[in-house]
Amino acid sequence: MPSLKDFALYSIDWNLTPEHAVTMYLEWGNNDWHAEYPPVRSKDDVSYYFVVDTWQVPPLIRLVRRNSEKAEDIFTMPLPEKLQEDFYRVNGSVRGISAPSPAVLAWLKQELGQS
């Protein structure tokens, strides 16, 4: 079973949120070339980013690989208990897929040696 550290060399886009990913990969023409995330040009354009899935308890951290054809979870782990309170304080308790809170991002970067 892979561990989080196995993905330390991936080019993770720390600022990419689920909303930005939809704009880039699913809403063709909905963003311009001057935006922070310009439109994708082909299925070879790939992004790696983290989301927090709160459809279950405990929430799950997912590392997503997305291109224009599909989004694939390449790593999943429970959100550590010590980070759950901060995540819910920032994002509320609505079920869904959210961007990690700043504290969760900081923890992920530290775990991957990218802080």
Side-chain angles (χ1 to χ4, degrees), residues 23-69:
T23 299
M24 283 176 56
Y25 291 98
L26 300 178
E27 301 291 337
W28 290 83
N30 193 28
N31 55 341
D32 65 36
W33 293 100
H34 302 292
E36 180 180 0
Y37 296 102
V40 297
R41 298 177 204 186
S42 75
K43 65 182 178 183
D44 295 328
D45 290 339
V46 175
S47 296
Y48 297 93
Y49 60 100
F50 284 99
V51 299
V52 177
D53 176 348
T54 59
W55 283 104
Q56 63 286 305
V57 177
L60 299 175
I61 294 174
R62 299 186 184 278
L63 177 57
V64 179
R65 179 191 185 276
R66 181 181 283 278
N67 67 10
S68 61
E69 295 184 332

Side-chain angles (χ1 to χ4, degrees), residues 3-14:
S3 76
L4 184 56
K5 294 189 187 310
D6 293 334
F7 299 93
L9 298 179
Y10 279 55
S11 180
I12 296 169
D13 188 334
W14 296 105

